[in-house]
Amino acid sequence: MEHTSFPPLSRVAICGGTHGNELSGVYIVKEMQKQKVEKIGSVSVISVLSNPPAIDVCRRYTETDLNRCFSDAKLSSTLTDSAAYEMRRAHELNAQLGPKGGEKAVDLIIDLHNTTSNMGVCLILSYLDWLTLHICKYIQTKMTSAPVTVMQLNDSNADGYSLDMLGKHGFAIEVGPQPHGVLRADIFNMMKRTLDFTTDWLQEFNDGHIFEGGEVETYSFLRSVDYPRDASGQITAAIHPQLQDKDFTLLQPGDPMFLSFSGETVKYEGEPVYPMFVNECAYYEKKIAFHLAEKITLKVPSISVKN
Amino acid sequence: RPALPVHRSARRVAIFGGTHGNEMSGVMLVNLWVQNNTEVQRKGVEVQPFITNPKAVEKCTRYVDTDLNRAFTPENLSTLGGGDLPYEVRRAQEINRMFGPKGSPEAYDVIFDLHNTTSNMGCTLLLESSKDHFNLQMMNYIQASVSNSNLYCVCCFFAGLEVGPQPQGVLRSNIFESMRDILKHALDFIELFNAGMEFPPCTVEVFRLSERIDYPRDDNGNIIAMVHPNLQDCDWEPLNPGDPMFQTFDGKTIHYQGSGTVYPTFINEAAYYEKQQAFATTRRESLVASAIRKA
């Protein structure tokens, strides 16, 4: 594969509290703002509390999920008086960190999230980008204390709906398991380390280091599975104990998926797949019990900064 | 032989779910039993499953206006005001009418208030009084019957059954089934008691609530440290003076400065950040429960 170069990454945004009750990111950003962190080495840093009213009440959102407001369609819509707070905020963030797809957009957005699922450290890419894949590869080599997985959502730029889409490059750091509204020191420390490795990489990149090509193993989103429900929409089963906490462990046909309240086991039928976001609290209302993914090994070229 | 303390039959039992609308085990169990109560029927007992805070359950939130589980004060229960009152105060009054008034002959005999916690507390029975021989005997019976040894008893300000760890808004199968199993044995105990079985004296280990410890905060009330990784998830394990307690955001350790060993519980419960509590300390005691028999 041909060596690829990118312009220097001089403006980076670190965002926390995109979901107001995912506390690691909230407190990392609050600390950065308290310590007035504006530069890390050669990189100027903007730290952002994405959804302050949701943070104040410690809820995911006040009216609508902020992290679904950044598609091209939503960002170009005219805001009416009755527009949800988060739609307004998305437009504000687009003006501050974007505009999405524009020349003035920040070079990189790192969006900090937590999940109630047992996903460890998971780096989420909305679409494939050699630069962010190299960051992921670097973090995977450096983090020896915990496994790091890379997830790709396969969104087109236009459809990409998450906050990290606003920057020229972007990805989310998702760490779990942590209950929403709880701040665990071990989870906080893992997210901090992941962020520190990211800024280390940015230093090396801007300094001219050549990052060798290679392979990155990713989990590519296929589809979602909902809970079994009754006629009135109430769930009638829980994630089976043998699937609970088994994110990124191969699920084979015949493996248990749900345990109904009346004691029946519902088994998985289909091709072998990898479950992720198993029993994420916020996904009950989105009718998702878990996502399914296939493992895809991607080849990345060597990259360096363009001078 | 000495006269046994006699206790009236437990004829009417209530099972409350959704007192906190996002504590899912109780919500799902009570919904299940409201639809079909076969599982909770016992001879000689009327068992009433009941959702105490339906609005909070609908929104999957702890409470709408104020914490229902702190709303049963004498002032709240006697105040007038109708529609102007906070939703949970009105609910408390209604629940008191339906299942109480507490201490009166019309009150239900036993109420199981089902809760979950984000803390690693296993299954915890919360008792209001250390002199409650009926509940202590029930606790002893359940401990002897359940397969898991993760069962604790706390003397505290309010009664209930607390199972964790489980995030708010999440239903974990193992937590759900543990709570279901405990209630099964609790109802079996009540049935046996009502049938005239005598329960001999027994010793029950309890943890008596001592102090509430808050997070270190700055002058603006913001927390400046987190429960230390060495303390996180260590509910019921001894905390000795000098042991790590909190970790600041830049990695420094704050140590426990108490005068003796305590047993922490409710470590890092989500709902207690706003109540200024990082964890509670308890002291271990052995309580002797008298023999009991139905009157």
Side-chain angles (χ1 to χ4, degrees):
Chain A
M1 287 178 102
E2 219 180 281
H3 179 90
T4 308
S5 42
F6 295 89
L9 299 166
S10 49
R11 287 170 67 230
V12 173
I14 296 172
C15 303
T18 301
H19 295 134
N21 54 9
E22 295 178 15
L23 297 190
S24 310
V26 170
Y27 282 92
I28 284 179
V29 169
K30 279 188 174 182
E31 262 310 282
M32 290 180 74
Q33 293 184 342
K34 210 168 171 180
Q35 309 295 343
K36 298 191 171 33
V37 174
E38 281 165 13
K39 231 169 154 59
I40 300 177
S42 58
V43 179
S44 56
V45 171
I46 309 163
S47 56
V48 182
L49 289 173
S50 315
N51 195 340
I55 293 168
D56 281 345
V57 293
C58 198
R59 293 191 68 76
R60 182 177 177 85
Y61 56 80
T62 62
E63 292 177 82
T64 190
D65 190 337
L66 177 60
N67 212 28
R68 300 291 184 275
C69 289
F70 298 94
S71 63
D72 283 7
K74 290 202 173 159
L75 288 176
S76 57
S77 66
T78 327
L79 291 173
T80 61
D81 284 340
S82 60
Y85 166 76
E86 281 85 6
M87 280 292 284
R88 262 183 245 282
R89 183 62 180 147
H91 282 232
E92 258 173 46
L93 289 166
N94 192 37
Q96 183 190 1
L97 306 176
K100 181 181 178 189
E103 263 315 293
K104 292 205 154 81
V106 297
D107 297 310
L108 177 69
I109 292 184
I110 305 160
D111 193 21
L112 306 176
H113 286 267
N114 291 117
T115 173
T116 58
S117 306
N118 186 28
M119 286 166 63
V121 175
C122 183
L123 309 170
I124 304 180
L125 312 182
S126 297
Y127 60 92
L128 292 185
D129 173 350
W130 299 144
L131 190 133
T132 49
L133 278 167
H134 262 277
I135 298 176
C136 294
K137 187 166 172 291
Y138 179 86
I139 294 170
Q140 278 180 320
T141 353
K142 294 289 186 175
M143 285 278 279
T144 47
S145 52
V148 176
T149 51
V150 180
M151 184 193 303
Q152 44 158 332
L153 301 179
N154 302 315
D155 290 322
S156 68
N157 278 21
D159 294 335
Y161 50 69
S162 49
L163 173 54
D164 54 273
M165 293 296 305
L166 294 184
K168 296 202 174 92
H169 305 276
F171 67 103
I173 300 176
E174 182 94 49
V175 188
Q178 178 172 269
H180 297 315
V182 164
L183 184 65
R184 285 183 66 104
D186 54 359
I187 298 286
F188 177 94
N189 293 342
M190 271 198 276
M191 189 180 278
K192 187 107 198 339
R193 274 170 74 76
T194 307
L195 197 53
D196 289 345
F197 288 135
T198 305
T199 50
D200 288 349
W201 186 93
L202 291 170
Q203 280 326 300
E204 290 191 36
F205 175 81
N206 286 341
D207 285 347
H209 183 93
I210 298 172
F211 292 93
E212 290 306 314
E215 289 185 342
V216 183
E217 195 177 74
T218 69
Y219 292 86
S220 179
F221 174 80
L222 286 171
R223 60 186 184 278
S224 309
V225 176
D226 189 15
Y227 291 93
R229 293 173 190 271
D230 64 18
S232 67
Q234 295 283 351
I235 71 173
T236 56
I239 300 276
H240 196 280
Q242 283 177 46
L243 175 57
Q244 179 68 55
D245 302 334
K246 299 290 205 308
D247 303 70
F248 305 115
T249 300
L250 189 66
L251 182 70
Q252 315 238 39
D255 286 347
M257 245 187 343
F258 299 105
L259 179 61
S260 78
F261 302 145
S262 52
E264 285 104 48
T265 297
V266 180
K267 297 186 177 156
Y268 171 68
E269 298 304 336
E271 76 283 28
V273 283
Y274 293 88
M276 41 190 209
F277 280 115
V278 177
N279 210 346
E280 160 54 51
C281 170
Y283 288 179
Y284 282 69
E285 70 174 17
K286 296 192 203 293
K287 311 257 188 286
I288 297 166
F290 51 92
H291 286 330
L292 292 176
E294 55 178 341
K295 217 195 291 199
I296 296 184
T297 303
L298 295 172
K299 283 193 171 43
V300 292
S302 59
I303 68 165
S304 63
V305 72
K306 189 190 294 178
N307 278 311
Chain B
R1 71 186 194 172
L4 279 173
V6 288
H7 198 285
R8 67 173 195 202
S9 297
R11 286 271 164 245
R12 294 195 304 164
V13 173
I15 303 177
F16 288 170
T19 297
H20 296 134
N22 53 10
E23 294 177 12
M24 302 306 292
S25 309
V27 171
M28 301 312 285
L29 279 171
V30 166
N31 278 345
L32 197 66
W33 292 330
V34 161
Q35 279 177 28
N36 182 347
N37 70 355
T38 315
E39 196 178 324
V40 293
Q41 279 178 348
R42 294 292 187 283
K43 200 158 162 239
V45 199
E46 180 199 311
V47 178
Q48 168 90 318
F50 185 76
I51 295 283
T52 46
N53 197 339
K55 264 199 186 170
V57 168
E58 203 191 347
K59 294 181 177 207
C60 196
T61 187
R62 182 177 176 86
Y63 56 81
V64 171
D65 292 329
T66 186
D67 192 333
L68 177 59
N69 212 25
R70 305 289 185 277
F72 289 86
T73 61
E75 310 89 78
N76 277 350
L77 293 178
S78 57
T79 192
L80 304 168
D84 288 337
L85 294 173
Y87 171 74
E88 278 86 4
V89 172
R90 283 180 276 135
R91 275 313 280 173
Q93 290 181 348
E94 197 167 330
I95 291 162
N96 193 45
R97 267 194 295 276
M98 290 174 72
F99 297 96
K102 199 163 175 181
S104 73
E106 300 92 59
Y108 270 59
D109 301 296
V110 185
I111 295 181
F112 296 104
D113 192 19
L114 306 182
H115 287 269
N116 290 119
T117 174
T118 57
S119 306
N120 188 27
M121 286 165 70
C123 302
T124 301
L125 189 67
L126 298 155
L127 301 182
E128 278 175 301
S129 157
S130 57
K131 305 218 181 357
D132 190 337
H133 297 277
F134 181 86
N135 276 332
L136 286 170
Q137 286 282 2
M138 176 162 65
M139 171 74 188
N140 185 60
Y141 177 87
I142 297 171
Q143 259 174 340
S145 313
V146 297
S147 37
N148 80 68
S149 55
N150 236 12
L151 186 59
Y152 302 92
C153 187
V154 174
C155 285
C156 167
F157 299 115
F158 42 83
L161 174 57
E162 190 89 50
V163 185
Q166 179 173 267
Q168 296 169 342
V170 163
L171 182 72
R172 285 183 69 98
S173 186
N174 62 333
I175 300 288
F176 175 85
E177 299 294 346
S178 293
M179 190 183 271
R180 195 178 195 173
D181 197 39
I182 294 196
L183 280 166
K184 171 196 170 336
H185 294 296
L187 292 172
D188 289 346
F189 169 84
I190 291 171
E191 186 176 25
L192 289 168
F193 175 82
N194 285 350
M197 181 178 277
E198 190 180 304
F199 293 87
C202 65
T203 308
V204 180
E205 183 180 76
V206 305
F207 292 86
R208 190 181 292 273
L209 196 65
S210 180
E211 259 192 289
R212 294 187 160 85
I213 311 280
D214 189 15
Y215 292 93
R217 292 175 189 269
D218 65 18
D219 294 332
N220 297 320
N222 301 309
I223 71 173
I224 55 174
M226 309 167 277
V227 171
H228 196 278
N230 287 23
L231 176 58
Q232 179 69 52
D233 301 334
C234 293
D235 301 67
W236 313 119
E237 292 174 38
L239 179 69
N240 304 304
D243 285 351
M245 194 172 48
F246 296 109
Q247 182 213 292
T248 64
F249 297 125
D250 55 359
K252 294 194 196 47
T253 298
I254 297 171
H255 302 271
Y256 178 59
Q257 303 288 358
S259 52
T261 298
V262 290
Y263 295 84
T265 187
F266 279 114
I267 299 173
N268 210 346
E269 159 54 50
Y272 289 173
Y273 283 65
E274 71 174 17
K275 297 198 203 294
Q276 268 81 50
Q277 183 179 324
F279 62 97
T281 62
T282 69
R283 294 185 195 281
R284 267 164 87 159
E285 276 179 40
S286 274
L287 293 181
V288 175
S290 311
I292 58 166
R293 173 171 62 82
K294 180 188 81 154

